[in-house]
Amino acid sequence: MSRFFYSIGKTAYSKPWIFIASWLLILGVIITAIVTNGVNTSSETRIDGTAAQDVLDELAEEYPAASGGQGSYLFEVPEGEAIDDPANAQALAMAANEIYSLEHVVNPMDMLQDEEAMAQLQGLQDMMSQLPASEVNHRPFIVQEMPVPGIQISEDGTVALFQFQLTKTAEDLSEAEREELADAANIAQDNSSITVIPTGALQGVDIPIGGTHEIIGLAIAAVILVVTLGSLIAAGLPLVVALIGVGVGVGGTFALSSMFEINSLTPVLALMIGLAVGIDYALFIVNRQRKLITEQQLTAKEAAARAVGTAGSAVFFAGLTVIIALSGLLVIGISFLSSMALVAALTVSIDVLVALTLLPALLGLIGERIVSTKARNKAQTSKGSKQGFAGAWITGLLKMKWVAILLVIGVLGTLAVPVAQMNLGMPSGESANQDTAVRQSYDVISDSFGEGFNGPLLVVAKDQGAAAVDPQEYFQLLANISQLNGVAEVSPGGFNEDGTIAIISIIPENGPTDEATKQLVESLRTDTAATENTNAEIGVTGLTAINIDISEKLAEVFPIYIAIIVVLSLLILLVVFRSILIPIKATVGFLLSIMATFGATTAVFQWGWLGSLFGIDTGGPLLSFIPIMVTGILYGLAMDYQVFLVSSMREAYIHGEKGNGAIISGYKTASKVVVAAALIMVSVFSGFIFTDDIMIKQIGFALAFGILVDAFLIRMIFVPAVMSMFGDKIWWLPKWLDKLLPDLDIEGEKLLHELNEKDKVTRMNTGENSI
C-alpha cells in the first residue's frame, strides 16, 4: 500500500499541473451545475417505520392536501383594544378567509357545504361546551354566530392565534408561497391596528453554510498551522487542500440537490467534518515531508513521495475509519441520518483523495521552498540537543502511569455523570434563546393560550370497514377525544374527497417536549376511549408526534449502533496495528471519552451550565440524533489520532526500539502534529457553536468537546500510559492470526527497505563508474 502511494506522490510532484487542472476542472463543473440547477434543500426529518410517519405516508396517498405541516400566526392589538372589536374582527376574518383560499392551505370549511353539516357542527359546539373540559385561557373567534375554525382568542381579548393545515411542510414552502401567506395575514394589519407575527417554521429556516464564526475558526486554525510548521507557505497548503475538498464534497452535494432530496443540516455537517479532516490530513503529510527534508537531508521531491507513501498510508486508513463509522449509520435505516452520513463520508473520501493527489502536486510547484535554508540549518544545529517538552512530558508521564490512568478515568467518569439524566428530543421554541423571534412567539402563545398550542397533534381517522367516515361518528370522535386527559382543545380538520379519511386537530395541555404530551400520544394510539361508540380507527401524526417517535426510535437503535462501532473498532485496529491489546485499549478509551462528551453536552445544553459562555440562555432537550451522529463522527476522528500516534510508536518498535523506548520515540515524533491537528479540529468545530441554530450549536459543541477530551486525555495521556503498563506485550498477536491478517504496511517498512536497497545499488554503480 505504501509503495502505491509513494508512486502517486512522486508522479503528482513531477507533473503537478495535470493533477491541479483535474481538480480545478471538477470544481468548475460542480460550480456550473449549481449555477444552472440551483440549490434545493429540505428540513424534513423522515423516520420510516414509526407510527407517525406511517400515518403521514397514508395521508399523503389518500388525502395529500392535508399531509403537510401546520402553520400559525399571532395577531395582537395595542393595550386598551380587543381583537374582536368590530373593526379588528372584520380585518381578522378577512385575513383568515384569504389564507384559507390559498392553494397550499387546507380549508376545513370545505366539508361544511350544506345546512345539515353546519347544523351538526353547531350541535357539536353546544355539546362540547357542556363537557367537563380542562381549564384553558382562550375562547373561540365568532363571526356571524359561528366559530371560525383554527382561530382562538386569549381570555383578555388582546391576542388571537390562527392555526391551519398546510399541504406541505412549512419548511418546504417556496419563497413565493411564504410571501402569499404573509400578504394574506397582513390584510389584518393593513385594515386595523392589529400586529401580525408569524410563528414557528413560518418565521423561516436559516441554517447557515459558512459565516463569521466559522471564518474565525479557520483563522485560528491558520495560526496553529503557522506555529506548528513555522512557514506561511507550508501553513497555507492544508487550508487550500481542505477548501478544495469541501468545495468538491459540499458543492457536489448542492449540485445533486435538484435530483435527490437533501436535508438542510446535511451540507453543514459535511462542511464541519470536511474542513477539520481536510486540514488535519494535509498537515500530517506536509509535516512528514518537512521532517524528512530537515532530518534526513532528502530532496523535496523524494521527501514528498516518501511522505505520501508513509504518512499518506496513515491518512488513507484514518480516513477509512471515519468513512466506515459514518457509513455504519446506514444500518440504522433512518433516511435523513443516512443522507447526512453519506454526504459526510463522501466529503471525507474526497479530502483523502485531495491530500494524496493534489497536495503532492502543490508541493511540486513549491519545490525546495517548502523548507527555508534557515530552517534546514537550524534543524542541523539542533541535532542531539535536549529532548524538548514532548520528550520530558512523555518520560515523566510513563514514570507516573498508574496515577495518570486513574486520574483520566476519574475526570472522565465525573464528566459522564449528567448522562444519567440526559433528555432527548427535538428542538422547539422553548429551547431557543430569549431574544429570538421563535422563543418570543413561543412565550406569547404559552402565556396567552397554553403551551400545548405550540405543538398541536393531528389525528387521522378512517372507518375500519374501509367505508366513508360517517359524519356522526366523526363528531363522536371529536367529543371522545375532548374528554381525554391532557387534551386542551379539539377542532375539525376536514375530509378527503371520497370521505374515507378525516382529520382532527388536537391541542395538548402541555408543551411539545413534555412527558405528559408523550403520554397523550401513546394514549391516543392505544386507549379505546378515543374511538368508543364509533367504528373508526385513528392514527396520530404532526410535527410533535413525529419528534416523539424520532426520539424513541433513535433511543431504541442507539445500543445497536454502539455495538457496531465497538466491533468495527476492534476489527479495524486489529488489522492496522496487528495487536490484540491495542484495539481493546483504544475502544475502552473511546467509550470513556464519548460518555464524558455526552455528560458535558447535557450539563451545558439541558441544565444550562456555562450557557452564557456558549451563547445560550435556556436549557432544553438534546437533539435526538446527537448520540448516534456524534458517536459515529467522534469514533472516526478519534481513530485518526490513534492511527497517527500509535503507528509512530509501532514504527519505532519495528525498527528495534523496545518497551518505553518505542513509546517515547513515537510520541516525540507524532505528539506535536497530533496536538496541532486536535486544536485545529476544536477550532473549526467551535466556530459552529456560536451560530444561532440550536441544532448546529449542540453538534458543534459535542464534536469540539469530544475531540478535546479524546485527543488530550485519551490519546496523549491514557493511551501511552496503558501501553507502558503492558510493555512489549502490547504488540502481541498470535502467530496463526498474524498469518491470516493482510499486511497493510502502514508504517512503510517495506517501502523504506526497497528504497534503501535501491540507494545501495545506486551507490555501488556510482562507485564502479568512478573507477
Side-chain angles (χ1 to χ4, degrees), residues 306 755-771:
R306 292 193 183 192
L755 293 174
N756 289 335
E757 290 299 317
K758 286 183 179 180
D759 288 342
K760 288 180 182 179
V761 172
T762 301
R763 287 194 296 270
M764 290 176 61
N765 290 336
T766 303
E768 290 173 358
N769 291 337
S770 64
I771 294 173

Side-chain angles (χ1 to χ4, degrees), residues 56-74:
L56 198 60
D57 290 343
E58 182 180 15
L59 199 60
E61 182 177 342
E62 300 189 36
Y63 193 2
S67 63
Q70 290 163 311
S72 58
Y73 280 98
L74 279 171

Side-chain angles (χ1 to χ4, degrees), residues 75-78 81-95 185-196:
F75 299 87
E76 287 187 297
V77 292
E81 292 190 32
I83 200 78
D84 51 359
D85 286 345
N88 291 333
Q90 182 180 2
L92 178 55
M94 290 168 58
N186 285 334
I187 289 175
Q189 188 167 283
D190 297 338
N191 293 277
S192 67
S193 58
I194 292 174
T195 299
V196 179

Side-chain angles (χ1 to χ4, degrees), residues 687-759:
F688 291 86
I689 298 175
F690 301 98
T691 59
D692 293 329
D693 189 271
I694 189 64
M695 294 187 289
I696 298 175
K697 275 179 173 291
Q698 290 187 9
I699 294 173
F701 175 86
L703 292 177
F705 188 86
I707 291 296
L708 194 67
V709 166
D710 194 90
F712 290 96
L713 293 183
I714 296 298
R715 307 304 151 191
M716 304 305 292
I717 297 177
F718 183 79
V719 164
V722 172
M723 291 178 69
S724 175
M725 183 178 70
F726 284 97
D728 284 344
K729 292 179 181 178
I730 197 74
W731 308 108
W732 175 76
L733 183 71
K735 291 183 179 180
W736 64 268
L737 185 56
D738 187 43
K739 293 179 181 179
L740 291 176
L741 295 178
D743 188 356
L744 302 177
D745 191 30
I746 291 179
E747 298 81 14
E749 181 186 9
K750 292 180 179 179
L751 169 65
L752 295 178
H753 177 74
E754 183 179 306
L755 293 174
N756 289 335
E757 290 299 317
K758 286 183 179 180
D759 288 342

Side-chain angles (χ1 to χ4, degrees), residues 374-459:
K374 181 180 179 181
R376 294 171 194 258
N377 294 334
K378 182 179 179 181
Q380 288 300 306
T381 56
S382 63
K383 277 188 176 180
S385 61
K386 59 181 182 179
Q387 61 181 348
F389 176 79
W393 170 266
I394 187 62
T395 301
L397 174 67
L398 298 187
K399 289 179 181 179
M400 303 181 65
K401 53 181 169 287
W402 284 105
V403 174
I405 292 170
L406 293 175
L407 187 62
V408 168
I409 293 174
V411 169
L412 296 184
T414 302
L415 288 171
V417 168
V419 170
Q421 298 182 39
M422 183 168 62
N423 179 29
L424 299 177
M426 295 299 285
S428 67
E430 181 184 15
S431 56
N433 281 351
Q434 294 178 1
D435 60 350
T436 62
V438 172
R439 174 58 186 271
Q440 289 168 359
S441 64
Y442 183 97
D443 288 342
V444 170
I445 292 173
S446 298
D447 295 341
S448 302
F449 302 96
E451 279 199 88
F453 278 82
N454 287 292
L457 301 171
L458 188 67
V459 168

Side-chain angles (χ1 to χ4, degrees), residues 7 16 27 90 146 220 245 277 288 291 387 425 441 477 500 523 642 665 676 681 761:
S7 65
L27 192 59
Q90 182 180 2
M146 283 294 295
I220 295 172
V277 302
R288 177 63 65 90
K291 278 184 173 295
Q387 61 181 348
S441 64
L477 275 175
T500 58
S523 176
Q642 177 75 14
S665 179
M681 276 203 181
V761 172

